[in-house]
Amino acid sequence: MTSPARRRGRPPGKSGAELLTLARAVFLQRGFAGSTMDEIAARAGISKTSLYREHPSKEGLFAAVVEHWTAAGRDAMRPALAELETTEDVREGLLAWARTLLAGVLSPTVVEMRRLITAEAARLPEVGATYLHQSWVRNISALAATLQLLHARGILAISDPEAAAEQLTWLVVGAPLNARMLDATATSAITVDSAIDLFLASYHREVVQLDHGPA
């Protein structure tokens, strides 16, 4: 029989955010199909009953993991956007933002999670939708608000900030992300500089005025 003193000295099992972080590590290591609630409970130091009480199914646990992960990175681009909003050199400001975005999107953890979510999106569409709307779409909208401010400052000439934000994001990350998703060692010939220059060729106010006359 375990004494009260020994029970008091035993490390508590994981729950809440700690449990979700541990479960994410298991899902990344094993994949969704290869992960079991038994292993997650064992690693967390809790009983299966406790795990199922907090997350009644593996699908529900996976959904909670994705939601927790996207929420944790929700404002990761906010400092870069704040710098861009006040920049005096729009090209340099966009380059700094783009490098920050690319470093985040191509980080091993983000690429691995994106692969994991993509692999399960057809079977668990609500999980894919959570990642899409809480991460990707949210970041596009935040960028659109910043581009609208640059338009208001007279630096950019943008009639549809949401469309411009989506175009800019894909110019920066599209080719590198596609390559990295399929090949962990892949690199892309598309550079941040060329992506920003292409964007500015369409939206920099000085370029637009030269092409179309005074606004």
Side-chain angles (χ1 to χ4, degrees):
M1 181 175 178
T2 305
S3 69
R6 184 174 178 183
R7 285 198 300 269
R8 284 196 299 270
R10 182 178 180 178
K14 290 178 170 51
S15 63
E18 282 191 334
L19 174 59
L20 294 176
T21 299
L22 181 143
R24 179 166 63 86
V26 175
F27 284 128
L28 286 172
Q29 180 183 2
R30 308 279 191 206
F32 179 82
S35 299
T36 66
M37 296 292 268
D38 284 17
E39 179 179 3
I40 292 168
R43 287 203 197 184
I46 59 177
S47 67
K48 282 178 61 178
T49 300
S50 296
L51 177 57
Y52 277 106
R53 187 181 301 119
E54 193 167 344
H55 300 283
S57 68
K58 186 169 76 166
E59 290 79 6
L61 175 58
F62 184 59
V65 164
V66 172
E67 186 166 359
H68 175 258
W69 179 71
T70 54
R74 190 167 290 160
D75 296 318
M77 291 301 296
R78 187 64 252 169
L81 289 173
E83 289 289 330
L84 179 57
E85 288 167 6
T86 59
T87 188
E88 295 301 325
D89 184 330
V90 68
R91 185 176 187 275
E92 288 303 316
L94 285 168
L95 283 171
W97 164 84
R99 291 181 184 119
T100 300
L101 175 66
L102 200 58
V105 169
L106 297 185
S107 66
T109 299
V110 171
V111 172
E112 288 167 7
M113 278 297 291
R114 192 180 179 90
R115 288 194 189 115
L116 179 63
I117 294 166
T118 301
E120 300 304 323
R123 199 173 63 82
L124 301 172
E126 69 282 1
V127 175
T130 293
Y131 173 71
L132 176 65
H133 292 284
Q134 295 301 317
S135 179
W136 192 264
V137 174
R138 185 186 179 94
N139 282 325
I140 295 290
S141 294
L143 175 59
T146 296
L147 295 180
Q148 180 63 49
L149 286 173
L150 293 175
H151 172 84
R153 289 179 59 197
I155 297 173
L156 299 178
I158 295 177
S159 59
D160 187 341
E162 286 283 340
E166 189 155 16
Q167 291 164 3
L168 176 55
T169 299
W170 279 109
L171 280 172
V172 172
V173 307
L177 178 58
N178 183 59
R180 192 66 59 85
M181 286 285 291
L182 299 171
D183 180 354
T185 65
T187 58
S188 171
I190 303 299
T191 66
V192 168
D193 296 71
S194 62
I196 296 305
D197 288 341
L198 184 57
F199 177 79
L200 288 175
S202 294
Y203 291 112
H204 196 292
R205 188 172 292 275
E206 292 179 2
V207 174
V208 173
Q209 287 177 349
L210 285 173
D211 288 344
H212 303 289

